[in-house]
Amino acid sequence: MIDLKLLRENPDLVRQSQRTRGEDPQLVDELLAADEKRRRAIATADDLRAEQKAFGKKIGQASAEERPALLEGSSELKLKVKQAQEEQKAAEDEVAAIQYRLSNIVEGAPAGGEENFIEIERVGEIPSFDFEPKDHLELGEKLGLIDMTRGSKVGGARFYYLTGDGAFLQLGMMMLAAQKAREAGFQLMVPPVLVRPEIMSGTGFLGEHSDEIYYLERDDMYLVGTSEVALAGYHKDEIIDLADGPIRYAGWSSCFRREAGSHGKDTRGILRVHQFDKVEMFSYCKPEDAAAEHQALLNLEKDMLAAIEVPYRTIDVAGGDLGSSAARKFDNEAWVPSQQTFRELTSTSNCTTFQARRLSTRYRDEQGKTQTAATLNGTLATTRWLVAILENHQQADGTVVVPEALRPFVGKEILE
């Protein structure tokens, strides 16, 4: 959630952020009005409590004759205090409800929707084949790497098996990502994939896209769509030590997405599926260090993409295509020969203090005062990468060259 102090001091900034996202700026005025009502309710309740305390002292000092009348007045005052406290809680609940509807303040992202991104750079040469390139599913099935038919039989549409060298190829990617993360100062974690509602809500995933999330009603638990959720909840209600710089984690987990809004999109192959594995970077830092940390995460993603030797471009995602918790997001999109276009492989988001404020994750500044931390996340490897690896490294005879960095894990130079 956003900082109410910032909202009061600069409401136009928040209104402009809403416009950049294509969301309703009127929500800002609703929150300002609710906040003013809350502050009045707090003041009224505080005054009545102070009056009640003073009245209690008066009763204690009163004579036996005066006390019955004072006690009657005390009962009336007690009812007023109770009513004021109930009004205060109702006002606070209204503020919280509106706060949870308001997205993070955009920082530097272009305005517009999905197509209004800004391309920052392109890296690598788009392959030129002297044959008709196959798509990743045809390659994967012929080489015994992917089995969609049996995946659908067992789990339904958009499920699959990675088999043989396909499994090793994914494990190799994940191990390489884990190693690079550790070398960069990240602590590797295998986090829970089931989380409580307050953790899912705290990270901003229970807004308008909540239909993308698997919910286990009997247990009141959610399956995570990214280990960002569990890593964000790791320090809930804690004061962390950022005196020596950011705290960095890399979560390796399976992830689950309903893909509820993707009917008919990318139904072939493993580009858009219900279950996949991922190594996700997650950083806690001071807000003033967040922009630099964001660039560091982006550079690590680019280092991994260089290791798997695929051409890609980096884009600055437009405000209307940001998740509610992200203030800014960079995507790296790899070239997919069968589609003759770039498709997203990684995202890295700066969530500023939005998530940590919801989850009450704080640190102490130089004066010892508690402040809200900033959080950031970024993909370091995921199952979808197999699409770009297979298609960009295919050869005329239907074999696939294994990127050199993955050969120690796969145990082969050529998949055939």
Side-chain angles (χ1 to χ4, degrees):
M1 62 181 70
I2 68 166
D3 184 358
L4 286 175
K5 183 173 182 289
L6 174 63
L7 176 78
R8 294 185 209 111
E9 293 175 351
N10 201 344
D12 286 339
L13 174 69
V14 189
R15 290 189 189 99
Q16 183 55 48
S17 173
Q18 288 290 95
R19 294 187 191 99
T20 299
R21 288 178 172 275
E23 297 178 6
D24 186 7
Q26 183 62 33
L27 203 57
V28 176
D29 298 295
E30 289 181 30
L31 183 52
L32 283 169
D35 181 49
E36 180 60 32
K37 180 180 175 183
R38 176 188 68 91
R39 295 170 80 187
R40 287 197 305 267
I42 290 172
T44 299
D46 285 346
D47 289 345
L48 284 168
R49 279 189 287 265
E51 185 180 343
Q52 186 182 40
K53 185 176 181 182
F55 205 79
K57 289 182 179 178
K58 189 176 179 180
I59 293 172
Q61 296 167 355
S63 65
E65 294 78 15
E66 296 172 323
R67 191 164 293 177
L70 289 173
L71 286 172
E72 186 177 341
S74 174
S75 297
E76 292 176 4
L77 187 55
K78 185 177 180 181
L79 286 173
K80 287 182 180 180
V81 169
K82 182 181 179 183
Q83 183 180 357
Q85 288 175 333
E86 289 172 352
E87 289 175 358
Q88 177 183 336
K89 185 177 186 308
E92 288 172 342
D93 289 346
E94 183 183 2
V95 167
I98 299 173
Q99 266 188 297
Y100 267 69
R101 289 165 54 203
L102 195 65
S103 299
N104 200 0
I105 298 171
V106 175
E107 291 188 358
E114 186 177 354
E115 302 302 321
N116 299 110
F117 62 83
I118 294 175
E119 186 173 316
I120 298 173
E121 66 172 332
R122 292 195 181 197
V123 178
E125 292 186 12
I126 291 175
S128 177
F129 298 110
D130 57 3
F131 58 91
E132 184 68 29
K134 300 177 176 65
D135 73 6
H136 71 280
L137 183 58
E138 184 177 356
L139 289 164
E141 289 180 334
K142 288 187 174 180
L143 296 173
L145 313 175
I146 303 170
D147 191 334
M148 295 292 298
T149 301
R150 292 184 176 89
S152 296
K153 177 177 69 175
V154 171
R158 299 184 192 261
F159 283 95
Y160 58 95
Y161 286 86
L162 293 180
T163 54
D165 291 335
F168 275 101
L169 197 59
Q170 171 163 291
L171 288 171
M173 274 193 314
M174 305 291 278
M175 278 302 301
L176 182 63
Q179 289 177 353
K180 285 185 176 291
R182 183 168 62 178
E183 290 166 4
F186 288 75
Q187 180 180 331
L188 187 64
M189 312 273 273
V190 178
V193 297
L194 279 168
V195 299
R196 293 175 172 176
E198 61 267 28
I199 304 299
M200 188 64 78
S201 177
T203 48
F205 284 94
L206 289 186
E208 56 188 59
H209 298 295
S210 59
D211 59 347
E212 289 288 338
I213 303 168
Y214 283 103
Y215 175 58
L216 282 68
E217 187 172 1
R218 181 179 296 180
D219 303 290
D220 194 23
M221 299 278 278
Y222 290 91
L223 278 167
V224 300
T226 167
S227 55
E228 169 194 344
V229 177
L231 296 178
Y234 190 62
H235 289 300
K236 183 180 184 297
D237 298 324
E238 294 181 20
I239 298 175
I240 58 177
D241 186 1
L242 296 177
D244 296 326
I247 295 174
R248 300 181 175 106
Y249 301 114
W252 180 338
S253 75
S254 293
C255 305
F256 307 87
R257 296 184 185 176
R258 294 185 63 240
E259 296 293 350
S262 62
H263 303 295
K265 288 183 184 178
D266 300 317
T267 55
R268 180 173 169 80
I270 60 171
L271 197 60
R272 194 186 295 270
V273 290
H274 293 305
Q275 177 183 335
F276 54 94
D277 283 0
K278 184 164 62 142
V279 172
E280 179 82 359
M281 300 177 288
F282 195 88
S283 296
Y284 294 89
C285 69
K286 298 176 182 178
E288 61 267 28
D289 297 333
E293 185 70 3
H294 200 191
Q295 286 296 321
L297 297 185
L298 178 60
N299 290 338
L300 279 166
E301 291 179 340
K302 292 162 73 172
D303 184 50
M304 266 298 292
L305 290 170
I308 64 168
E309 303 171 39
V310 296
Y312 68 92
R313 69 179 180 185
T314 303
I315 65 170
D316 192 351
V317 176
D321 199 27
L322 295 175
S324 64
S325 59
R328 196 172 194 184
K329 181 170 78 166
F330 299 115
D331 282 358
N332 289 310
E333 300 180 331
W335 181 254
V336 178
S338 67
Q339 298 185 9
Q340 290 292 290
T341 191
F342 290 96
R343 299 302 302 266
E344 176 203 329
L345 289 197
T346 79
S347 288
T348 176
S349 297
N350 179 3
C351 297
T352 60
T353 59
F354 187 83
Q355 294 176 328
R357 182 167 284 105
R358 292 182 175 210
L359 294 166
S360 190
T361 304
R362 296 153 294 155
Y363 69 98
R364 296 195 187 277
D365 61 19
E366 289 76 5
Q367 288 72 46
K369 185 178 178 182
T370 57
Q371 304 286 356
T372 303
T375 61
L376 303 96
N377 62 80
T379 312
L380 205 52
T382 186
T383 301
R384 177 180 280 206
W385 289 30
L386 297 178
V387 174
I389 291 172
L390 294 176
E391 293 201 16
N392 282 284
H393 292 288
Q394 65 179 298
Q395 302 186 105
D397 61 358
T399 60
V400 172
V401 177
V402 179
E404 188 173 348
L406 299 181
R407 291 174 190 172
F409 306 102
V410 179
K412 296 180 179 180
E413 295 184 11
I414 305 287
L415 301 178
E416 56 187 348

